[in-house]
Amino acid sequence: MLLSIRSLTKVFPGTLALDGVDLDIAAGEIHALLGENGAGKSTLIKCLTGAYQRDGGAITLDGAPIDPKSTGQAQELGIGTVYQEVNLLPNLPVAQNLMFGREPRRFGLIDSRRTRAEAEAMLRQYGLGIDVGRDLGTYSVAIQQIVAIARAVSLSGKVLILDEPTASLDRREVEMVFDVVRDLRDRGLGIIFVSHFLDQVFELTDRVTILRNGRKIVTERTANLDRMSLIEHMLGRALEHEVTGTATDGEIKAPMLQFDGIGRAGVIQPFDLTVGQGEVVGLAGLLGSGRTETAEMLFGLRQSQDGQARDADGPLDLRNPRAAIGAGFGFAPEDRKTDGIVASLSIRENIILGLQARRGWSRPIPRAEQNRLADDYIRKLDIRTSDREKPIGELSGGNQQKAVLARWLAMNPRFLILDEPTRGIDVGAHAEILRLIEDLTAQGMSVLIISSEIDELVAVADRVIVLRDRRHVAELTGAEVTGDRIMRAIAADDEAAA
Amino acid sequence: MNTRALPLYATIAIFLLAYLLAWTQFPNILSTRVVGNLLTDNAYLGIVAVGMTLVILSGGIDLSVGSVIAFSGVFIAVVLRDTGLHPLVVFALLLLLTTAFGAGMGFLIDRLAMPAFIVTLAGMFLARGAAYMLSIQSVPIQHPFYQTLQGAYYLMPGKGRLTLIGVLMLLVVVLGMVIAHRTRFGASVYALGGGEQTARLMGVRQGRTTVLVYAFSGAMAGLSGIVFSVYTGSGYSLATVGTELTAIAAVVIGGTLLTGGAGYVFGTLVGVLTMGLIQTYIVFDGSLSSWWTKIVIGLLLLVFILLQKGLLKLSGSRLAGGAA
């Protein structure tokens, strides 16, 4: 084995990010590493590249144990990495990017002619005959990606890690990069390919390893797997396991909001969406399928190129979040820490934030009113805290999430968008938040919920929309909302879904 | 053509055009006398602007240089007045001092991960305060060696004087060009300005580069202080207030991106000369208030910022077009 990882363990405060993971990479293979958010893919890669120090386990390269302390050291050992965001300098010429730190010198000064010649020779091996004197940033992302691969291989040359290298490429460009990757495999490199595009995994890779919750679930030859079993492994539920939802069969809810042709090229294909009064609509799909983008577009955080939104009274203006809030929308984003809470402000301040912003900062909410609101929601949502003036950053994830919900509830929205509302929350709080969502919809509020946990969607949603490859591919209502149907829709090939 | 060089070409074009316009009105402006004076009068600014160019290329800023120039002048004048040291020895001492001062600021910026703006702002007050402490009055320098320095020039055809400090400025520009474009240190500076995270991943030694770049700026500020003391023949703690901003303006007019990562040292020379040319024109005209210099420089700055923004947009949209 070229690269051998044995019972790799990495602990972060409160979580076991990697729990005894084994992984073998042979010379001349392309090995896919798969898993949903939080499965441990990036932690594993960071342990390999020296960005993180492992807490347990062993890594051997060419039979010798290694322990890289920095990305530079990992490179010298022979492990090179190419990231989704091209990690090169667009403001420097291609040649300088390729040769950076190893420029040929004459009399102590960089010999630019030889630098260029060597860079050109290097790129010719990849069939790339571009002008290396031009800035990297003037070339397409695919070419930048190949330049990044060329640099990584020339620096390291044993193991190449490709971390979502194709996320921003179109079909033809992906093919270009794949040709290069296959060529490198034939030259005997061990290649780790991380991607959430399953088609690409089947097209390119020889073997697959799937991680979930920090554990290795399976390593298998790609040819022996089908889409369905792959997704089962990733999501961690088998098909026979059946959960029946609370979906109120057949009961048609009066439509409240109507979105027509919302979408944007390269972000999400145009879609139509109707949301009924008091309805819970779930969005299902794998990481990168366009769930969050859909939510952001509905909330005016991203501009839709076309289409419009309307309610019973006429068209709605969703130019920006402020306009969306004006239309009675609310949005609790996925990344609670950076986008949801203001960590150093108190619970009270976090709760009244939205309300105050809508009133305008020149008309402060009286302090007594603030206290009343804060206490009210702390009690109603059962936010566990010693008092309302505690900085919200000191609360647990579940209580933070409740406070974010309280902020929106205080504004009494008619349509609330929740992106992964239960991620990183303990089991008890999890159930409470789901119950809260049901209470709210019983009072007539409509909710759009995004979740990676299919069981959660089945439990709470009246209707589930399934996304794949930045498209809305299926819609399940009433009795159709079962774990199986959702899984099948996620896994289905294009023809089957259409 | 590389879009990166466009601001440089624009700067050169604007400079030549401005010179041409000035020449049609005042043919004398093309004489070697005017050219010689242009170099001499702006020598201290040119030198400090070269240091500033590297700092800005690295994505930083150095607000301390104006105060450091003033401190240098006072330091030289006071030491020469009170001791028997030869000016060359004093120069060496001063350069050591200002280089160490710059390196110290670079160290703080890197280690404490503090914004360069605030650290060098502190340095600005510190250096100005130190200058006051040495002397509040203007201190004349009467060393015979200074007379030699001030009298050293090459008489060009047309009776223009190519002075020692003017030549020194040109040499510093060449030195700056070599460092920025032909050394690994220079490449690291551009890399840092392009993106710290990426630069680190590519193996740039961030701490070392940051310290060196501010040390270089400190050394250039010291050298500029020496030149300024030769130019004025005195040291005065209230001198060169705001020179750091003039230097930044020259760098930006010279086509360097204020956010770092793109630009040319040669452009800075053109920027300095453009600003000098405006001043010369106003002197030639005689009826214009000297405030017009500031107004025109302000307008030029605005034009260049817009130009850079436009270029960024252009290259950005082309990228998006290529990816789509």
Side-chain angles (χ1 to χ4, degrees):
Chain A
M1 273 304 142
L2 176 63
L3 181 75
S4 242
I5 299 171
R6 285 288 165 270
S7 48
L8 184 67
T9 301
K10 175 76 194 171
V11 186
F12 289 118
T15 46
L16 194 55
L18 286 176
D19 186 2
V21 172
D22 293 348
L23 182 66
D24 284 310
I25 308 292
E29 85 161 332
I30 304 176
H31 196 121
L33 189 61
L34 298 180
E36 282 289 274
N37 251 343
K41 282 177 307 182
S42 42
T43 313
L44 177 91
I45 291 199
K46 282 180 174 162
C47 286
L48 272 180
T49 58
Y52 289 161
Q53 305 305 307
R54 62 179 182 263
D55 296 315
I59 304 176
T60 55
L61 182 66
D62 273 338
I66 59 165
D67 189 14
K69 298 277 185 233
S70 68
T71 42
Q73 222 183 341
Q75 270 174 17
E76 280 164 32
L77 288 166
I79 302 175
T81 313
V82 173
Y83 303 91
Q84 170 185 354
E85 312 285 329
V86 179
N87 258 291
L88 292 178
L89 294 157
N91 62 321
L92 293 183
V94 173
Q96 245 178 310
N97 270 293
L98 277 171
M99 304 298 295
F100 197 90
R102 304 168 292 156
E103 300 94 342
R105 289 189 286 193
R106 214 168 41 159
F107 313 122
L109 297 181
I110 292 174
D111 184 341
S112 16
R113 197 177 315 152
R114 262 181 58 211
T115 305
R116 291 181 60 149
E118 287 184 24
E120 271 168 15
M122 204 191 288
L123 287 184
R124 261 200 302 277
Q125 296 176 30
Y126 298 88
L128 216 56
I130 58 172
D131 176 5
V132 296
R134 264 173 59 185
D135 285 358
L136 182 74
T138 61
Y139 288 104
S140 73
V141 183
I143 288 180
Q144 294 188 34
Q145 204 62 269
I146 292 174
V147 171
I149 290 174
R151 179 178 161 85
V153 169
S154 72
L155 275 175
S156 310
K158 286 182 186 166
V159 175
L160 179 64
I161 301 171
L162 300 171
D163 192 355
E164 305 270 8
T166 56
S168 38
L169 302 184
D170 68 23
R171 190 59 232 160
R172 200 175 42 80
E173 294 177 316
V174 167
E175 220 26 76
M176 225 167 115
V177 172
F178 279 9
D179 283 342
V180 166
V181 173
R182 287 194 191 101
D183 188 44
L184 288 171
R185 169 186 60 191
D186 298 342
R187 281 199 242 160
L189 262 77
I191 295 163
I192 302 177
F193 181 75
V194 181
S195 177
H196 54 251
F197 295 109
L198 297 186
D199 291 337
Q200 297 183 0
V201 168
F202 283 110
E203 188 185 335
L204 183 70
T205 65
D206 303 309
R207 288 200 298 162
V208 179
T209 291
I210 296 167
L211 299 180
R212 193 174 69 239
N213 295 331
R215 293 208 188 84
K216 186 180 93 167
I217 301 304
V218 71
T219 297
E220 185 59 77
R221 296 198 61 77
T222 313
N224 298 345
L225 282 169
D226 58 17
R227 269 187 104 84
M228 201 65 218
S229 49
L230 202 74
I231 289 172
E232 277 180 28
H233 286 310
M234 283 171 74
L235 298 180
R237 66 189 300 289
L239 272 181
E240 55 276 7
H241 178 70
E242 193 64 75
V243 181
T244 15
T246 58
T248 38
D249 297 342
E251 185 189 320
I252 308 285
K253 310 244 164 134
M256 182 178 76
L257 296 167
Q258 176 90 38
F259 301 93
D260 290 318
I262 304 282
R264 183 175 193 85
V267 177
I268 184 101
Q269 275 208 358
F271 61 89
D272 300 339
L273 176 67
T274 311
V275 180
Q277 173 118 34
E279 189 182 29
V280 181
V281 179
L283 289 188
L286 294 177
L287 188 65
S289 57
R291 295 171 307 183
T292 297
E293 288 79 0
T294 299
E296 288 178 348
M297 219 154 256
L298 296 183
F299 195 61
L301 210 54
R302 283 174 190 263
Q303 292 303 305
S304 171
Q305 269 167 334
D306 215 348
Q308 65 161 348
R310 52 188 306 121
D311 61 6
D313 301 328
L316 293 172
D317 169 20
L318 301 178
R319 249 175 312 130
N320 51 41
R322 198 178 167 78
I325 291 169
F329 288 21
F331 178 45
E334 180 176 9
D335 192 337
R336 190 169 52 237
K337 281 216 162 52
T338 59
D339 300 337
I341 61 168
V342 185
S344 52
L345 292 187
S346 70
I347 299 166
R348 169 181 57 80
E349 286 164 316
N350 267 285
I351 289 177
I352 62 129
L353 195 60
L355 204 57
Q356 181 68 72
R358 191 170 59 185
R359 274 171 70 113
W361 296 102
S362 55
R363 295 194 303 131
I365 301 171
R367 183 57 182 263
E369 173 75 6
Q370 294 185 20
N371 290 347
R372 194 191 58 73
L373 272 171
D375 287 337
D376 202 27
Y377 281 105
I378 287 173
R379 191 169 38 76
K380 263 200 230 160
L381 305 190
D382 194 20
I383 300 174
R384 316 250 160 81
T385 171
S386 49
D387 69 298
R388 61 172 179 262
E389 298 305 322
K390 198 167 176 180
I392 198 167
E394 293 176 15
L395 299 186
S396 72
N399 285 312
Q400 286 179 5
Q401 186 68 313
K402 286 186 199 166
V404 171
L405 283 177
R407 178 192 301 160
W408 288 113
L409 298 185
M411 298 174 68
N412 194 23
R414 53 181 170 156
F415 180 47
L416 190 56
I417 304 168
L418 304 173
D419 194 352
E420 298 282 5
T422 58
R423 171 170 301 157
I425 286 178
D426 62 78
V427 185
H430 189 274
E432 285 174 40
I433 285 179
L434 292 192
R435 207 187 53 232
L436 188 68
I437 292 172
E438 277 170 17
D439 288 350
L440 292 172
T441 50
Q443 292 161 29
M445 189 185 292
S446 304
V447 172
L448 182 84
I449 179 169
I450 297 174
S451 179
S452 301
E453 289 181 51
I454 290 181
D455 290 343
E456 181 174 304
L457 288 179
V458 171
V460 78
D462 302 308
R463 189 150 56 95
V464 171
I465 292 163
V466 178
L467 286 86
R468 177 154 35 82
D469 294 339
R470 304 179 182 282
R471 280 191 304 136
H472 290 212
V473 292
E475 186 168 327
L476 307 167
T477 36
E480 292 176 341
V481 181
T482 65
D484 270 17
R485 298 289 289 256
I486 296 176
M487 293 262 292
R488 280 188 209 283
I490 291 175
D493 285 330
D494 287 304
E495 318 85 71
Chain B
M1 190 179 63
N2 231 336
T3 45
R4 189 157 58 118
L6 269 181
L8 178 66
Y9 298 145
T11 307
I12 295 173
I14 286 177
F15 176 70
L16 292 179
L17 200 72
Y19 220 122
L20 197 74
L21 280 177
W23 174 71
T24 53
Q25 224 175 334
F26 310 108
N28 274 340
I29 218 159
L30 203 57
S31 69
T32 55
R33 283 190 198 207
V34 174
V35 174
N37 285 345
L38 204 55
L39 292 178
T40 307
D41 296 341
N42 295 291
Y44 78 100
L45 183 63
I47 292 170
V48 82
V50 168
M52 187 68 81
T53 309
L54 264 91
V55 172
I56 290 180
L57 280 176
S58 80
I61 196 104
D62 188 349
L63 298 178
S64 72
V65 294
S67 300
V68 171
I69 296 173
F71 168 81
S72 304
V74 180
F75 178 84
I76 294 168
V78 168
V79 173
L80 284 182
R81 183 189 67 191
D82 299 345
T83 69
L85 291 174
H86 189 272
L88 283 177
V89 179
V90 182
F91 292 169
L93 279 177
L94 174 81
L95 286 178
L96 268 178
L97 205 63
T98 59
T99 308
F101 183 69
M105 289 193 298
F107 183 78
L108 288 180
I109 290 164
D110 178 59
R111 274 307 151 91
L112 306 181
M114 294 276 280
F117 185 94
I118 205 73
V119 173
T120 59
L121 186 68
M124 171 179 125
F125 286 119
L126 207 70
R128 184 71 65 181
Y132 285 140
M133 227 165 65
L134 288 176
S135 171
I136 296 171
Q137 263 89 44
S138 174
V139 183
I141 302 173
Q142 276 139 345
H143 199 280
F145 183 68
Y146 256 73
Q147 263 109 56
T148 321
L149 287 181
Q150 284 158 342
Y153 58 84
Y154 165 76
L155 201 64
M156 292 183 286
K159 291 203 175 153
R161 290 175 178 186
L162 189 59
T163 57
L164 180 70
I165 57 173
V167 172
L168 187 65
M169 192 253 284
L170 293 178
L171 286 178
V172 165
V173 170
V174 172
L175 175 78
M177 286 167 70
V178 170
I179 290 180
H181 308 307
R182 298 296 300 276
T183 65
R184 287 190 183 171
F185 166 69
S188 300
V189 167
Y190 277 91
L192 269 190
E196 279 183 21
Q197 181 71 24
T198 310
R200 262 206 307 274
L201 280 174
M202 290 183 74
V204 171
R205 285 147 82 183
Q206 191 184 1
R208 180 173 174 268
T209 309
T210 307
V211 170
L212 277 179
V213 88
Y214 286 93
F216 179 73
S217 177
M220 288 305 109
L223 189 61
S224 171
I226 295 170
V227 164
F228 194 70
S229 73
V230 171
Y231 181 61
T232 59
S234 66
Y236 184 34
S237 49
L238 269 176
T240 61
V241 170
T243 297
E244 61 281 348
L245 300 179
T246 317
I248 293 169
V251 172
V252 173
I253 291 176
T256 297
L257 203 60
L258 196 52
T259 47
Y264 296 89
V265 175
F266 182 72
T268 299
L269 173 68
V270 183
V272 168
L273 293 180
T274 305
M275 288 164 67
L277 179 69
I278 298 164
Q279 238 149 0
T280 309
Y281 176 86
I282 284 160
V283 171
F284 264 73
D285 183 274
S287 67
L288 288 169
S289 152
S290 70
W291 286 108
W292 278 102
T293 320
K294 307 260 175 201
I295 291 170
V296 175
I297 288 173
L299 286 175
L300 265 183
L301 261 179
L302 198 66
V303 165
F304 271 84
I305 291 165
L306 290 176
L307 180 73
Q308 292 182 351
K309 198 81 197 163
L311 282 176
L312 278 181
K313 264 237 168 79
L314 201 76
S315 57
S317 69
R318 204 166 58 183
L319 264 185

